[in-house]
Amino acid sequence: MSKVKDPKLASEGKQKIEWAESHMPALMKIREQFAKEKPLKGLTVAACLHVTKETAVLMRTLKDGGAVVGLCGSNPLSTQDDIAAALAEDGINVFAWRGVSNDEYYWCLNQVLDLKPNITMDDGGDLVATIHSKRQDLLKNIIGGTEETTTGVIRFRSMEKDKALKYPVISVNDAYTKHLFDNRYGTGQSTIDGIVRASSVLLAGKNFVVGGYGWCGRGIAARAKGMGCKVIVTEVDPVRALEAYMDGFQVMSMGEASKIGDIFVTASGDKDLIRKEHMEKMKSGAILANSGHFNVEINVKELESLSSGKRTVRPNVEEYKLKSGKKLYLLGEGRLVNLATPKGMGHPIEVMDMSFALQALCARYIAEEGRGMKPGVYDVPARIDERVADLKLRSLGLTIDSLTDSQIQYLKSWDIGT
Ligand SMILES: NC(=O)c1ccc[n+]([C@@H]2O[C@H](COP(=O)([O-])OP(=O)(O)OC[C@H]3O[C@@H](n4cnc5c(N)ncnc54)[C@H](O)[C@@H]3O)[C@@H](O)[C@H]2O)c1
């Protein structure tokens, strides 16, 4: 069962999925093994992920591993309709189309939950949150879940603290082979790509303000610098702020940055980084974008209250005319700019190879070990993280050294000093 925008888009989608498959060697290796061993046989996996070609490669892998698979989008603007159509044709239960309303978003999510999943796979935590708040009847079937992004992990850790989390969830985001590459290099490259595709502006010479210097912020700042921007970082964490300074960026408060910024990008997982008081100070023509998971980082309601009108000047670029006469431009409604803007491709394929190799192996881990795990948030087992790094290195044709016996001995000892 599926509901997608247009089933006729399937052949276009299939071609894109094939392209992704040829750039995801680690996940394809895991698929080979899954097809032989069927580790997910008899299980149903519900996934709430951005519906992209890379997600499609993961869904096909889970299916080859023996699972019944349901998929809905994890953001109203991130579904690629041709991919959804191709997956529906492949026998995945897809409920997703680009531009769903809030009600449609939750309708799709509930259709996937109606499959009575044994494993949940979240990006942002909406499956887990809905199951715990409105579909508790499903808890009895669930062995465990996985979470892809920082924002979802923050939500689950809060649930764990309040003793509200009723099943084990593995934080894929916290694996080294996830956040070091996906959040940093993936978000870095794709955020710049999303801004350029949406606005078509020149980056060189611009004052480019990055809100939050975490894994995503570091990547965005580094790539913006590479494009010739003068990068400014805002932070609330003194250590991260110092790191940004020593990485060569200007550090200041959003209050100061708002007076000089040409382009603003938030990536913090927090709300209201850009508020009314900042928008009032901004230069006319400033561009505002967000790469954090939810559309809460730029306070769009306050932007609307300051404005006398708005119009769409390019696909997914809204021009807000402020009562003061100046104009501010909001990309992709303040939703993740790398996925929400038209033709926003999301992360480069090669980083998703690692993130989704982790997801596949973690789904297998839950199938095999989950019944013995208590409710809570779990790190990805180190051996899975190392396996993914190893698969990726091999696929790149890179070899590394191994410790000699005497090195192992030396590293274990404490008595050899000066
Ligand atoms: N766009 C994407 O494709 C994509 C990919 C991965 C993660 N994400 C999302 O991006 C967000 C950031 O993820 P991350 O892995 O970089 O998180 P992180 O925890 O590594 O970094 C967040 C940083 O933001 C800072 N911060 C928090 N509140 C702030 C405020 N009010 N002002 C300035 N700085 C503030 C924190 O101190 C921290 O340094 C999350 O919502 C995550 O889910 C998006």
Side-chain angles (χ1 to χ4, degrees):
M1 261 195 345
S2 284
K3 184 165 163 60
V4 300
K5 183 159 184 202
D6 180 1
K8 289 199 288 298
L9 297 172
S11 64
E12 228 172 283
K14 273 191 198 316
Q15 217 175 358
K16 289 185 187 163
I17 298 169
E18 275 167 31
W19 174 253
E21 283 174 342
S22 66
H23 290 79
M24 298 180 87
L27 185 55
M28 292 303 279
K29 198 85 203 155
I30 292 166
R31 186 189 288 179
E32 253 174 54
Q33 206 178 0
F34 272 29
K36 269 193 230 133
E37 297 169 11
K38 303 281 179 204
L40 303 176
K41 190 159 185 260
L43 297 177
T44 298
V45 180
C48 177
L49 300 170
H50 303 298
V51 182
T52 62
K53 56 190 181 309
E54 296 79 11
T55 298
V57 183
L58 173 62
M59 296 300 105
R60 284 178 168 187
T61 303
L62 299 175
K63 185 166 175 262
D64 283 4
V68 171
V69 184
L71 172 67
C72 58
S74 58
N75 185 288
L77 285 184
S78 65
T79 294
Q80 291 166 16
D81 289 316
D82 49 0
I83 303 295
L87 281 177
E89 209 174 84
D90 275 358
I92 308 287
N93 302 280
V94 192
F95 297 90
W97 58 96
R98 187 183 160 89
V100 286
S101 65
N102 202 52
D103 285 349
E104 288 167 339
Y105 178 84
Y106 280 101
W107 180 84
C108 291
L109 193 140
N110 277 299
Q111 293 300 307
V112 168
L113 289 181
D114 285 347
L115 298 170
K116 298 196 171 56
N118 309 108
I119 296 175
T120 58
M121 202 170 259
D122 256 310
D123 187 340
D126 284 339
L127 285 176
V128 166
T130 305
I131 290 167
H132 282 72
S133 58
K134 300 201 174 75
R135 304 285 309 261
Q136 291 166 2
D137 56 303
L138 298 175
L139 285 167
K140 59 181 182 299
N141 304 312
I142 297 179
I143 308 169
T146 62
E147 170 54 53
E148 172 75 6
T149 198
T150 315
T151 283
V153 176
I154 291 171
R155 291 175 92 183
F156 298 164
R157 289 207 194 281
S158 304
M159 289 175 79
E160 185 183 35
K161 205 162 138 255
D162 291 347
K163 301 205 176 353
L165 187 62
K166 302 289 184 218
Y167 62 83
V169 185
I170 299 182
S171 163
V172 169
N173 183 69
D174 291 336
Y176 288 111
T177 47
K178 201 294 184 165
H179 65 263
L180 283 180
F181 306 100
D182 173 313
N183 299 30
R184 183 163 44 167
Y185 301 114
T187 313
Q189 177 171 320
S190 61
T191 297
I192 301 295
D193 183 53
I195 292 170
V196 171
R197 281 175 196 263
S199 67
S200 183
V201 298
L202 177 73
L203 294 179
K206 294 277 194 311
N207 285 332
F208 191 103
V209 182
V210 181
Y213 201 65
W215 290 107
C216 295
R218 290 175 179 114
I220 297 167
R223 294 299 172 252
K225 184 179 175 183
M227 297 296 281
C229 294
K230 290 176 271 182
V231 177
I232 297 163
V233 169
T234 75
E235 251 297 342
V236 288
D237 178 330
V239 177
R240 295 262 168 106
L242 209 51
E243 184 187 349
Y245 173 77
M246 297 214 187
D247 283 345
F249 303 119
Q250 290 187 72
V251 174
M252 59 183 82
S253 66
M254 188 59 86
E256 289 173 84
S258 53
K259 292 182 216 154
I260 53 176
D262 298 302
I263 299 172
F264 294 80
V265 185
T266 52
S268 72
D270 192 6
K271 63 187 272 209
D272 293 343
L273 266 75
I274 299 183
R275 308 182 288 272
K276 193 172 167 189
E277 73 221 54
H278 305 127
M279 297 164 194
E280 279 168 341
K281 289 186 201 148
M282 284 178 188
K283 298 194 279 191
S284 191
I287 292 174
L288 278 55
N290 166 52
S291 223
H293 188 78
F294 286 122
N295 58 336
V296 294
E297 307 211 7
I298 300 169
N299 192 322
V300 179
K301 275 208 180 98
E302 290 188 353
L303 177 57
E304 292 195 338
S305 75
L306 281 177
S307 306
S308 56
K310 70 170 180 182
R311 62 184 182 130
T312 304
V313 286
R314 290 169 60 82
N316 282 106
V317 182
E318 300 295 321
E319 177 188 82
Y320 285 83
K321 189 153 187 225
L322 272 56
K323 290 168 194 156
S324 61
K326 72 181 174 194
K327 292 169 180 168
L328 297 180
Y329 295 93
L330 180 68
L331 307 189
E333 300 173 12
R335 299 184 190 278
L336 332 108
V337 68
N338 54 337
L339 286 146
T341 47
K343 300 208 166 36
M345 288 289 132
H347 282 13
I349 310 171
E350 289 93 332
V351 293
M352 294 318 295
D353 187 23
M354 285 188 277
S355 303
F356 285 166
L358 285 166
Q359 285 282 9
L361 292 177
C362 286
R364 177 175 200 156
Y365 185 82
I366 288 166
E368 289 167 356
E369 310 286 339
R371 289 178 185 84
M373 290 160 73
K374 293 201 176 73
V377 181
Y378 288 79
D379 285 340
V380 171
R383 66 181 158 83
I384 292 185
D385 214 355
E386 282 159 19
R387 166 112 199 271
V388 170
D390 189 54
L391 280 171
K392 194 71 189 172
L393 278 173
R394 279 172 201 269
S395 75
L396 292 166
L398 303 175
T399 45
I400 59 171
D401 290 323
S402 307
L403 292 170
T404 63
D405 287 344
S406 90
Q407 283 169 334
I408 293 171
Q409 216 41 49
Y410 174 74
L411 291 170
K412 277 195 205 151
S413 68
W414 55 270
D415 54 345
I416 307 168
T418 314

